Amino acid sequence: MKYLLQLLYSYNKMIFISCDLEKINYEKNNDLNIKYDRIKIADKEIINKICEINYPAGISEKEIQTRLRKGHQLYLAKNDKDILCYGWVALKGCYIPYLKGQISLSPDEFYTYGAVVKKEYRGHGILNQYRKLNYHKLKEKGFRYEVTSYMSWNKSVERANKKYGYQYEGEIIYGYIFFFRYFINKMPKGKIMNLGSFWGKWKKLTYLFSLEKK
């Protein structure tokens, strides 16, 4: 019934923001003795522990493996006893399921998404420290800008982003009216491809076909 009502009418707004890595304001303390790692497909034991965070609503092992094979990077923060948080980085574009859309990235941009801090460790600045170290590594590889997004109803994330120096890039408004999906793109031209539209589905199909021929 809830899903049917959403098809009759729903309204969502996803806001995109970016930050120059030269200007972002990160805390420098590490009082919790946090260590940071990049996780790879072979790290099955750690992947299983990540799946236990927010179980059963959290991410599955299959989804983690799929994203890693696509070239997305998984980073985590941990101490000697536990995993504190994890998050994803995409370097060459990223499909966003909520939007049914694909974000395009320039060579000096990366897109971050899916950051989760374990409930008992929230409010200690862990995510801020996690960003500081891992994004510095990306900066050394030639990346300059982080792009990320959040839903407009998430006011706590909005306040945190303003504090850390993020700048507004644009937004996507989407939803349903009487079973028809609407998609209002207020992003810079070419930044988001609407794969839920007829044209978007055609472009996705031709792209997949070109891969089959190679």
Side-chain angles (χ1 to χ4, degrees), residues 3-214:
Y3 178 68
L4 180 60
L5 291 174
Q6 289 177 341
L7 290 177
L8 289 174
Y9 178 75
S10 61
Y11 173 90
N12 305 280
K13 183 192 290 187
M14 180 174 281
I15 299 172
F16 289 81
I17 52 178
S18 67
C19 190
D20 187 335
L21 298 190
E22 296 283 352
K23 299 177 181 179
I24 195 164
N25 179 25
Y26 291 128
E27 297 173 5
K28 297 181 179 180
N29 62 303
N30 190 2
D31 299 333
L32 299 176
N33 296 316
I34 299 171
K35 300 176 183 178
Y36 302 85
D37 283 321
R38 178 181 170 189
I39 305 307
K40 299 182 179 180
I41 291 177
D43 300 323
K44 293 186 177 181
E45 183 177 346
I46 296 178
I47 289 174
N48 288 334
K49 289 182 179 179
I50 290 173
C51 294
E52 294 172 2
I53 299 175
N54 290 348
Y55 179 84
I59 191 169
S60 68
E61 180 182 355
K62 181 179 179 181
E63 179 62 22
I64 291 175
Q65 298 284 2
T66 298
R67 292 182 188 181
L68 290 174
R69 289 191 179 94
K70 287 181 178 179
H72 295 203
Q73 298 181 358
L74 174 58
Y75 294 91
L76 61 78
K78 64 181 181 178
N79 57 22
D80 293 334
K81 298 180 180 180
D82 204 358
I83 293 174
L84 311 181
C85 80
Y86 67 87
W88 290 90
V89 174
L91 305 179
K92 297 181 179 179
C94 182
Y95 176 72
I96 305 173
Y98 296 111
L99 298 181
K100 296 182 181 179
Q102 177 89 11
I103 183 168
S104 299
L105 300 170
S106 62
D108 62 349
E109 291 179 329
F110 60 93
Y111 179 70
T112 61
Y113 69 99
V116 175
V117 179
K118 210 168 182 180
K119 190 174 182 179
E120 54 265 42
Y121 297 107
R122 293 171 187 170
H124 296 285
I126 291 171
L127 186 58
N128 190 30
Q129 295 179 39
Y130 155 92
R131 286 169 167 165
K132 177 179 178 291
L133 183 61
N134 290 321
Y135 298 176
H136 177 68
K137 294 177 181 177
L138 290 166
K139 180 184 170 186
E140 290 179 335
K141 294 180 180 179
F143 292 94
R144 177 69 184 271
Y145 299 98
E146 176 202 4
V147 180
T148 189
S149 60
Y150 66 95
M151 300 305 295
S152 61
W153 51 260
N154 198 334
K155 299 303 179 183
S156 61
V157 170
E158 185 177 80
R159 288 192 295 269
N161 289 332
K162 287 180 179 179
K163 178 182 176 182
Y164 300 142
Y166 288 89
Q167 301 295 319
Y168 174 85
E169 286 291 322
E171 59 193 48
I172 301 291
I173 299 171
Y174 65 98
Y176 287 89
I177 298 178
F178 293 107
F179 300 98
F180 290 96
R181 181 174 182 267
Y182 65 89
F183 188 94
I184 303 171
N185 191 339
K186 296 185 178 182
M187 291 287 287
K189 187 176 180 180
K191 198 66 177 176
I192 297 285
M193 181 193 298
N194 178 14
L195 299 180
S197 67
F198 174 80
W199 176 242
K201 289 176 181 177
W202 173 255
K203 291 191 75 172
K204 184 178 181 181
L205 182 63
T206 54
Y207 172 71
L208 293 174
F209 181 73
S210 68
L211 292 180
E212 290 291 332
K213 293 178 66 178
K214 290 181 179 180

